[in-house]
Amino acid sequence: LPARAELARLLPEGTVVEPSAHHLHDATEAQGLAGHADAVALPETTAEVATVVAWCYEHDVAIVPRGGGTGYAGGAVPDGGVVLSLERMRAVRALDAPLWRAHVEAGLPTAQLQRVARENGLWFPPDPGAAEQSQLGGNIATNAGGPHAFKYGVTGRWVTGIEAVVPPGEAITAGGPVRKDAAGYDLRGLLVGSEGTLGVITAAWLRLIPAPEAALPVAALYADTGAGCAAVEAVMAAGVPAAALEFLDAGAIRVAGGAFPVPLPDNAQFMVVAEADGSLDEARRVRAELTEVLAPAALTLHAPETRADVAALWRWRDGVSLAVASAHGGKVSEDIAIPVEHLREAIEATLEIGARHDLAACSWGHAGDGNLHSTFMLDRSDPAALARADRAAGELFALALRTGGSISGEHGVGTVKRGALREALGDRGLALHRGIKHAFDPKGLMNPGKLVP
Amino acid sequence: LPARAELARLLPEGTVVEPSAHHLHDATEAQGLAGHADAVALPETTAEVATVVAWCYEHDVAIVPRGGGTGYAGGAVPDGGVVLSLERMRAVRALDAPLWRAHVEAGLPTAQLQRVARENGLWFPPDPGAAEQSQLGGNIATNAGGPHAFKYGVTGRWVTGIEAVVPPGEAITAGGPVRKDAAGYDLRGLLVGSEGTLGVITAAWLRLIPAPEAALPVAALYADTGAGCAAVEAVMAAGVPAAALEFLDAGAIRVAGGAFPVPLPDNAQFMVVAEADGSLDEARRVRAELTEVLAPAALTLHAPETRADVAALWRWRDGVSLAVASAHGGKVSEDIAIPVEHLREAIEATLEIGARHDLAACSWGHAGDGNLHSTFMLDRSDPAALARADRAAGELFALALRTGGSISGEHGVGTVKRGALREALGDRGLALHRGIKHAFDPKGLMNPGKLVP
């Protein structure tokens, strides 16, 4: 193919390869999505990224930037063109521990940054699922969240600067190693969550914070959704500064509860996981407050003390998504965000909508942020079930918009929510999206078919 | 004038008034800036704002949105057209205390929100100077900072949604009462800091947090800049989670030190103010850590205990800017942000540049964020001094860019830094700014002459 041969001539040997299955899908594989591409570029430097973008832009070839491929929105699934994977750009360019700062390349796996920070007494709070596979560049391009976003915010809040290659093939920086920047439009913030449709993020400056001495979670089990949601609301109403405030509904407990670190009561239909952090004294004080609020209506509490037991709880929590996917062989997992007071309504609606479309359903996620992983479990080889799941998702999006929420709290738009985004934006919002896209990418070659309706 | 008469016909009586001096300047008055306008509109509703924007857009009349007029960049100084002041839109539309959330109109004074939050056990952390005069809409439009940005970030971090009227005269919302939103480009973030050049912010949804039980500052005095900057670096290197980390240099102490709550040592040439917050135990623990790091090289420490004494320290800190302005009758105050390791260099360069241009100079500001209020004091009726201050500012901006910093950490661009922004952006960045501006405001009528070079 011309793109592959031509790019191979411009780049070091081994940089341009034939597409393999690995580079043609993301986590939407579980609902049957896979793409095709003409070539895969694996640049090792920002200059090589610029070479790829410049050649493609000149020759009207689509560019599909790729991180760890763990997205749930089809954002990394190519429909022709060149897949530009950042996997070889994984350097920590600088870790300035005394200044609470890191400068990393886009392909660095999230978990690796987390470890490097910890080794230096620091912490990078964003903790999206699949941290071993996902990469910082992808986290930034999707503005990834995670349980600790409740207290610490999503990925974008920790990014002070971005280096990106934008059409027609030029490296720019927006922000930098500086902690404040009020000069001009927030191009940095615009690249955050842009899903590769404006440019290719090649590196970032990240803000870190001193690692809290202790993190003490408590899991509370309830007999029904009403009691559980009331507990979530009570934590906030009491003003307890929880670091994370998660939930699982009955269906999620059913498929994932067997692997929970301790046996769960048979009648547990709802779980709240809240975490307290800070100095050891402070974490203990806050966990006592959490316990006081969560305990009265709970069936049981599980409050791990040791570092190993705490890690086991979060490892289990991180595995919930996979457990749900395995239950029926596949899943369509949405991630609507709603104002917190609509949490119970959204959890119950997920089940009701699923039942109406003959789909097993469940939800879990970030209760305090009103961010649900509403999930329809299905056999991914069943096209009728996939079509029903698509309609069910549409009803969830309508619920989110009706309550003042968002069609995506953390997965982004990709291909799978483009239609829904159009609804959400309205005419003027749509026109603004197209205007911004045009300012960066007049030929529409950056990750075409993604995000912009 | 036609604009005034025509708009008066479309709006309730008393909504459109003749321009008075009050509406024609901002804090750049201290360096001699004042503008002119054809009319001032004082809408009371979003619909009235839309009426003003629609009429102006149709008739090619400039619209200059105005908050509290406390900006230092000339962003609210009109050069003809209609001043659209949000001062009558000051309602708290909703305060959902149990959900840590407020929905406020743009004209609400910052301090009023801070009080309402406190009365409900909550806290809105951004604390720009002049909080009694400045308004939330202006804070958002300039992404205002303040001392507590060190731990809690600038205004934009607390804004989950914006209601704005954009050309040609339509109200849109970006985000809302929801805490997470990964759907589409971050229009909310783009409006933050856009200085009225993309649209008129009419209301916002703000995230609040439970108010910390205690805030315990400590002020440390040093004999020279080197010792003071070393203390700032030591706080960060020790990983102390300070809520604020401020400084004043010798010149700032000279003009503002007399009003400090306790007498200062005669040889004090540098002050560091750090704050610890959290539960009372936690604040005490963190302040002990701060003291341990700050004390060894300090001449003296001042560590207020009571709420009244703590408030007195911050009230004094808030008055530093005014004290400096009064010293010579006027000032040109910049707000470069540099990577923290360049703090000492920037403080010393401020003095050196001032001396070379025959201007008394000093600096103070947000040490931990590397954000300096580098200030040249002058008699504002002296045009030669103003011209020298302009050249001196240019050298400061060059320093900021050379070290990887920003020409503005919190004041924004307005008119006074448009030239410098062009340098900072480079050709591609400039083109992106113009493209974004065009997507929102194709006729270039929103606050023309501001921000976009």
Side-chain angles (χ1 to χ4, degrees):
Chain A
L1 280 160
R4 212 174 103 211
E6 291 291 329
L7 282 171
R9 268 214 290 273
L10 298 171
L11 293 160
E13 204 182 321
T15 303
V16 184
V17 301
E18 200 174 343
S20 63
H22 164 70
H23 287 109
L24 300 176
H25 64 75
D26 61 14
T28 54
E29 201 187 10
Q31 52 189 284
L33 266 73
H36 63 101
D38 303 327
V40 174
L42 305 167
E44 294 191 1
T45 66
T46 302
E48 290 176 10
V49 173
T51 298
V52 174
V53 172
W55 186 89
C56 288
Y57 222 72
E58 195 185 332
H59 295 87
D60 294 316
V61 172
I63 301 140
V64 183
R66 180 180 182 83
T70 57
Y72 282 107
V77 179
D79 183 17
V82 173
V83 170
L84 197 165
S85 172
L86 281 304
E87 65 197 68
R88 290 185 183 171
M89 288 185 64
R90 54 199 296 139
V92 177
R93 289 187 183 167
L95 185 88
D96 298 310
L99 304 169
W100 307 358
R101 203 171 69 197
H103 185 198
V104 305
E105 290 185 343
L108 184 71
T110 314
Q112 217 160 306
L113 171 70
Q114 289 167 341
R115 278 190 291 269
V116 171
R118 285 282 181 188
E119 285 160 11
N120 286 273
L122 296 169
W123 189 36
F124 180 68
D127 54 349
E132 295 290 348
Q133 290 76 48
S134 82
Q135 301 168 3
L136 267 310
N139 292 169
I140 295 168
T142 57
N143 202 9
H148 290 85
F150 181 61
K151 180 171 177 181
Y152 295 99
V154 291
T155 300
R157 193 189 291 177
W158 300 90
V159 178
T160 64
I162 289 176
E163 175 193 277
V165 172
V166 295
E170 189 182 343
I172 62 167
T173 61
V178 72
R179 292 168 57 97
K180 283 167 87 176
D181 184 7
Y185 298 139
D186 187 7
L187 300 184
R188 179 206 58 79
L190 202 48
L191 287 165
V192 170
S194 64
E195 303 184 21
T197 63
L198 302 180
V200 184
I201 295 169
T202 50
W205 287 269
L206 305 174
R207 199 165 58 81
L208 307 170
I209 50 172
E213 185 184 5
L216 296 175
V218 52
L221 281 303
Y222 297 92
D224 57 63
T225 300
C229 289
V232 167
E233 283 180 26
V235 167
M236 293 188 72
V240 187
L245 189 52
E246 302 277 300
F247 86 96
L248 280 85
D249 81 349
I253 292 173
R254 203 172 307 125
V255 295
F260 194 73
V262 297
L264 297 176
D266 289 340
N267 57 338
Q269 301 283 307
F270 200 89
M271 182 188 297
V272 174
V273 180
E275 187 167 81
D277 70 359
S279 64
L280 185 56
D281 283 353
E282 176 69 1
R284 284 194 174 134
R285 187 192 66 77
V286 174
R287 188 161 76 173
E289 286 186 14
L290 286 170
T291 303
E292 197 181 328
V293 176
L294 294 174
L299 301 169
T300 56
L301 297 181
H302 170 60
E305 281 294 328
T306 68
R307 230 167 244 278
D309 288 345
V310 168
L313 175 58
W314 283 114
R315 206 163 43 240
W316 170 80
R317 166 63 189 84
D318 204 36
V320 168
S321 180
L322 200 63
V324 173
S326 307
H328 291 236
K331 63 168 177 150
V332 172
S333 193
E334 299 307 338
D335 70 318
I336 59 168
I338 40 84
V340 189
E341 65 270 33
H342 296 285
L343 182 65
R344 180 176 172 176
E345 179 186 347
I347 292 169
E348 290 174 345
T350 299
L351 299 181
E352 185 272 319
I353 292 168
R356 215 157 10 78
H357 292 280
D358 193 22
L359 294 163
C362 68
S363 67
W364 72 95
H366 316 302
D369 278 330
N371 185 196
L372 283 77
H373 297 305
S374 293
T375 299
F376 305 111
M377 293 172 279
L378 41 71
D379 174 350
R380 71 185 178 193
S381 64
D382 177 353
L386 282 164
R388 293 202 306 277
D390 203 49
R391 286 195 296 276
E395 293 183 29
L396 274 178
F397 300 153
L399 167 77
L401 297 179
R402 196 169 63 236
T403 58
S406 169
I407 59 168
S408 175
E410 51 184 26
H411 294 169
V413 176
T415 52
V416 303
K417 291 186 188 168
R418 280 214 302 164
L421 182 61
R422 183 173 193 142
E423 292 290 311
L425 290 176
D427 289 343
R428 190 73 186 108
L430 177 63
L432 291 173
H433 270 62
R434 289 184 175 158
I436 291 165
K437 170 75 171 173
H438 187 263
F440 280 79
D441 177 20
K443 286 183 163 185
L445 295 173
M446 292 305 310
N447 213 4
K450 315 294 161 56
L451 192 148
V452 185
Chain B
L1 280 163
R4 210 171 107 213
E6 291 291 330
L7 282 171
R9 267 215 291 272
L10 298 171
L11 294 160
E13 204 182 322
T15 303
V16 183
V17 301
E18 199 173 342
S20 63
H22 164 69
H23 286 109
L24 299 176
H25 65 74
D26 62 14
T28 53
E29 201 187 10
Q31 52 190 286
L33 266 75
H36 64 103
D38 303 325
V40 174
L42 305 167
E44 294 192 2
T45 65
T46 302
E48 289 176 10
V49 173
T51 299
V52 174
V53 172
W55 186 90
C56 288
Y57 222 74
E58 194 184 332
H59 295 87
D60 294 316
V61 172
I63 301 140
V64 184
R66 181 180 180 82
T70 57
Y72 282 107
V77 179
D79 183 18
V82 173
V83 170
L84 196 166
S85 172
L86 282 304
E87 65 197 69
R88 290 184 183 170
M89 289 185 63
R90 53 200 294 138
V92 177
R93 290 187 183 166
L95 185 87
D96 298 311
L99 303 170
W100 306 358
R101 201 172 69 197
H103 185 197
V104 305
E105 290 184 344
L108 184 71
T110 314
Q112 217 160 303
L113 171 70
Q114 290 167 341
R115 279 190 291 269
V116 171
R118 285 280 181 189
E119 285 161 10
N120 286 273
L122 296 170
W123 190 36
F124 180 67
D127 55 349
E132 295 290 348
Q133 290 77 48
S134 82
Q135 300 168 3
L136 267 310
N139 292 169
I140 295 168
T142 57
N143 203 8
H148 290 84
F150 180 61
K151 180 171 176 181
Y152 295 99
V154 291
T155 300
R157 195 189 290 178
W158 300 89
V159 178
T160 63
I162 290 176
E163 176 193 274
V165 172
V166 295
E170 188 182 342
I172 62 167
T173 61
V178 73
R179 293 168 57 97
K180 285 168 87 178
D181 184 6
Y185 298 139
D186 187 7
L187 300 183
R188 180 206 58 80
L190 202 47
L191 288 164
V192 170
S194 64
E195 303 185 22
T197 64
L198 302 180
V200 184
I201 295 170
T202 50
W205 287 268
L206 305 174
R207 200 165 57 82
L208 307 169
I209 50 172
E213 186 185 4
L216 296 176
V218 53
L221 281 304
Y222 297 91
D224 56 63
T225 300
C229 289
V232 167
E233 283 179 27
V235 168
M236 293 187 73
V240 189
L245 189 52
E246 302 278 300
F247 85 97
L248 280 85
D249 81 350
I253 292 173
R254 204 172 306 124
V255 296
F260 194 74
V262 297
L264 296 176
D266 289 341
N267 57 338
Q269 300 283 306
F270 200 91
M271 182 188 295
V272 175
V273 181
E275 187 166 82
D277 70 359
S279 64
L280 185 56
D281 283 351
E282 176 70 0
R284 284 193 174 135
R285 186 191 67 77
V286 173
R287 186 160 77 172
E289 286 186 13
L290 286 170
T291 303
E292 196 181 330
V293 176
L294 294 173
L299 301 169
T300 56
L301 296 180
H302 170 61
E305 281 293 329
T306 69
R307 230 169 244 277
D309 288 344
V310 167
L313 174 58
W314 283 114
R315 206 162 45 240
W316 169 82
R317 166 63 189 84
D318 203 36
V320 168
S321 179
L322 201 61
V324 173
S326 307
H328 291 235
K331 63 168 177 148
V332 172
S333 195
E334 300 305 339
D335 71 317
I336 59 168
I338 40 84
V340 189
E341 65 270 31
H342 296 284
L343 182 64
R344 180 176 174 176
E345 178 187 348
I347 292 169
E348 291 175 345
T350 299
L351 299 181
E352 185 272 318
I353 291 169
R356 214 157 9 78
H357 292 279
D358 193 22
L359 294 163
C362 68
S363 67
W364 72 95
H366 316 302
D369 278 330
N371 185 195
L372 283 77
H373 297 305
S374 293
T375 298
F376 304 112
M377 294 172 280
L378 41 73
D379 175 351
R380 70 182 178 196
S381 63
D382 177 352
L386 282 164
R388 294 202 305 278
D390 204 48
R391 286 195 296 276
E395 293 183 29
L396 274 177
F397 300 154
L399 167 77
L401 297 180
R402 197 170 59 237
T403 58
S406 169
I407 60 169
S408 175
E410 51 185 27
H411 294 169
V413 175
T415 53
V416 305
K417 291 186 189 167
R418 280 213 302 162
L421 183 61
R422 182 170 195 144
E423 292 289 312
L425 290 177
D427 289 343
R428 190 74 186 109
L430 177 64
L432 292 173
H433 271 61
R434 289 184 174 158
I436 291 165
K437 170 77 170 171
H438 188 262
F440 279 80
D441 176 22
K443 286 184 164 186
L445 295 172
M446 292 306 310
N447 212 5
K450 314 296 162 53
L451 192 147
V452 185

